[in-house]
Amino acid sequence: MKTELDIPAVAVFLFFFALVTVMGFVASRWRRPKTLASLDEWGLGGRQFGTWITWFLVGGDFYTAYTVIAVPALVYSVGAYGFFALPYTILVYPIVFMVMPRLWQVAKDNGYVTAADVVHGRYGSRMLEAAVAITGVVATMPYIALQLIGMATAVKALGFEGELPLIAAFVVLALYTYSSGLRAPALIAFVKDIMIYIAVIAAVSVIPGKLGGYAAVFDAADQAFKAKGSGSILLQPGQYVAYATLALGSALAAFMYPHTLTGIFASKSATTIRKNAVLLPAYTLMLGLLALLGYMGHAAKLKLASNNDVVPALFQTLFPSWFAGFAFAAIAIGALVPAAVMSIGAANLFTRNFWKAYVNPQVDSAGEAAVAKIASLVVKVGALLVIIYLPTQFALDLQLLGGLWILQTLPALIFGLFTRWFTAPALLTGWVVGLFGGTYLAWTDGLKPLHMLSIGSFQATVYVGLIALVANIVVAMLVNLVVPKPVVTAEAAGT
């Protein structure tokens, strides 16, 4: 990949970055409420986003800059196995269609802002609420760091050295998020997604033509995997269970993250969510096209220092500089939207489930908004420090564990929407077993997402997060038999 400063690419990049920066600050006047000094307005956009805004917002924070970088990099590295992201993003939307409208209604009726609010309202347990809130914050931090990695990859491809450009982009992100709250990423998401679609459509239309067609692309990838002795353009029989469980576990975890739930809670109605469950799979098509760029990297015979460089290197090698700058801007802006929503989601959790629960129970709406703004800055600073001072692999490892951890909040959050059979002590015990048991398995496997499961003569490689979730649920059910009396609060009567 080129390392010298590419002036035309830098000029185009700066133009679009400046454009979304202005939009980020203007967003505070977009659908302007009487005041932004409330968590409902700053952190959830007034709960008034309709179908199209929700489509861009949820799609914008679900398909992140790191997705644009990481999915093609994984396909470039291991082949067909990297396409697990496609069935994952197909499985997730029926789950959204069936579950999220119910969750939205409960949150709307009771003024809940976070998943931990819902859990506290249902079970009346501060300990279970804290467990869900801590898991959400800890799982989100490395996710934000990964967005900054995606942004850093794009900035490096422009020829910039050092951390200064990344810090400057972070400051811009922090300031307009502080000023405009969720309205900023919601407005910028329109520009971000249009740019990503243009870059991807251009890539899958132009690059194969320059490389001899798709047949030549697949043949080159096949030859490259055979030459290095690992990877394949077709899924191998021994990978079937691992592939399926990774897709299912990722789908179940996807809408447990604070940032994806923030998009759900900000929706105007349950119907808006159902419409989005139908429309959002359009992003899966884009993801499939993006993944093919991994195979194109082999056909283009790129020389890469890191697999993460495959997409930037393709644009640098096969497109004029100005369009490469456009694509890099799309990737960088693709980091801003999810990073902003993630920091807001984490800030909402801190404000409602730590500050208001333990520090200042009498805090008013304006006080909540003020605390959340500061918390969102602290979260982003933490993610930036991780990228600057710790090895990138550290953020990658934590993000892997983050998926495992956030999956363990599913029983407490989702089961309570449909049944009152489970008790808080049972769910808390299940959470402890799933979280720490799953972490132990991942740690002993060298922080790998898959674990060789052996039960008698049965052996299969399974996603460790799904193993931990099953253990979580089984333990919760067993404990529930010992502690059979459900604790139902007055608030829970409405759930």
Side-chain angles (χ1 to χ4, degrees):
M1 196 166 69
K2 297 175 185 176
T3 54
E4 66 272 17
L5 200 61
D6 188 334
I7 300 301
V10 170
V12 174
F13 180 93
L14 291 178
F15 169 79
F16 283 99
F17 204 85
L19 172 66
V20 298
T21 299
V22 171
M23 290 178 67
F25 286 105
V26 169
S28 64
R29 300 176 180 276
W30 179 47
R31 292 169 170 255
R32 188 176 180 82
K34 291 181 180 177
T35 175
L36 275 174
S38 89
L39 208 53
D40 255 23
E41 292 294 345
W42 183 85
L44 293 181
R47 301 181 194 255
Q48 59 171 330
F49 293 159
T51 301
W52 285 111
I53 297 174
T54 301
W55 189 78
F56 279 104
L57 179 63
V58 174
D61 74 62
F62 194 55
Y63 297 87
T64 67
Y66 194 72
T67 303
V68 175
I69 295 294
V71 171
L74 187 60
V75 171
Y76 178 83
S77 174
V78 302
Y81 192 69
F83 280 87
F84 86 90
L86 265 67
Y88 145 45
T89 57
I90 293 171
L91 289 171
V92 72
Y93 294 115
I95 298 172
V96 170
F97 188 91
M98 291 186 291
V99 175
M100 290 301 143
R102 173 67 174 157
L103 181 62
W104 177 88
Q105 192 66 58
V106 171
K108 172 72 174 177
D109 291 347
N110 296 281
Y112 298 147
V113 176
T114 69
D117 280 352
V118 176
V119 169
H120 178 252
R122 173 66 184 87
Y123 298 100
S125 167
R126 284 292 182 199
M127 290 185 67
L128 190 58
E129 174 196 14
V132 171
I134 291 170
T135 307
V137 172
V138 173
T140 301
M141 290 287 289
Y143 219 147
I144 299 174
L146 290 188
Q147 304 317 306
L148 298 184
I149 290 176
M151 187 185 295
T153 302
V155 170
K156 186 180 73 173
L158 289 167
F160 287 111
E161 298 291 338
E163 309 292 353
L164 193 58
L166 184 62
I167 294 173
F170 157 79
V171 171
V172 170
L173 165 69
L175 291 179
Y176 71 61
T177 304
Y178 183 93
S179 169
S180 304
L182 193 63
R183 284 174 169 78
L187 189 58
I188 294 172
F190 286 95
V191 176
K192 172 253 186 184
D193 283 353
I194 290 170
M195 291 178 70
I196 290 282
Y197 269 110
I198 290 173
V200 171
I201 291 171
V204 298
S205 302
V206 173
I207 294 176
K210 292 188 174 183
L211 298 177
Y214 273 100
V217 168
F218 284 109
D219 184 58
D222 189 40
Q223 295 302 319
F225 291 132
K226 287 177 178 175
K228 74 175 184 175
S230 64
S232 169
I233 62 170
L234 295 176
L235 201 62
Q236 301 303 303
Q239 296 176 315
Y240 290 168
V241 174
Y243 186 88
T245 57
L246 202 56
L248 177 60
S250 300
L252 291 173
F255 275 79
M256 297 299 105
Y257 279 103
H259 58 281
T260 45
L261 285 176
T262 296
I264 294 296
F265 290 160
S267 301
K268 187 177 183 180
S269 68
T271 301
T272 298
I273 297 168
R274 292 190 187 94
K275 287 181 180 177
N276 267 276
V278 174
L279 297 172
L280 277 167
Y283 279 95
T284 302
L285 174 63
M286 180 181 73
L287 192 62
L289 297 174
L290 267 170
L292 289 174
L293 297 182
Y295 287 159
M296 295 177 197
H298 289 294
K301 302 187 185 307
L302 301 176
K303 302 298 180 186
L304 305 176
S306 163
N307 292 336
N308 284 343
D309 292 336
V310 63
V311 170
L314 277 172
F315 280 103
Q316 276 188 328
T317 306
L318 299 170
F319 284 91
S321 290
W322 69 267
F323 193 80
F326 176 85
F328 298 158
I331 294 171
I333 295 167
L336 295 179
V337 171
V341 182
M342 289 169 191
S343 67
I344 290 170
N348 289 346
L349 278 168
F350 175 82
T351 304
R352 291 299 291 261
N353 309 113
F354 295 107
W355 189 266
K356 186 171 184 177
Y358 298 104
V359 179
N360 183 8
Q362 307 306 319
V363 63
D364 59 13
S365 294
E368 285 186 339
V371 172
K373 287 180 177 181
I374 300 298
S376 75
L377 292 178
V378 173
V379 167
K380 285 191 278 287
V381 169
L384 184 65
L385 293 178
V386 167
I387 296 303
I388 292 177
Y389 291 110
L390 295 176
T392 301
Q393 188 60 41
F394 184 74
L396 293 170
D397 292 341
L398 282 181
Q399 200 276 336
L400 162 67
L401 292 174
L404 186 164
W405 293 336
I406 203 68
L407 193 53
Q408 306 316 310
T409 65
L410 184 147
L413 179 62
I414 302 302
F415 290 177
L417 298 175
F418 300 99
T419 176
R420 296 180 180 177
W421 186 71
F422 285 97
T423 63
L427 291 168
L428 190 60
T429 308
W431 173 82
V432 170
V433 170
L435 191 86
F436 291 99
T439 304
Y440 174 77
L441 284 183
W443 182 265
T444 55
D445 290 335
L447 289 176
K448 303 294 183 186
L450 301 168
H451 179 75
M452 177 58 75
L453 190 64
S454 299
I455 303 176
S457 59
F458 173 80
Q459 283 192 327
T461 306
V462 180
Y463 174 46
V464 68
L466 209 54
I467 297 173
L469 179 63
V470 170
N472 179 342
I473 295 171
V474 169
V475 168
M477 293 176 70
L478 292 175
V479 173
N480 214 57
L481 293 175
V482 181
V483 187
K485 295 180 181 177
V487 178
V488 181
T489 68
E491 284 179 302
T495 66

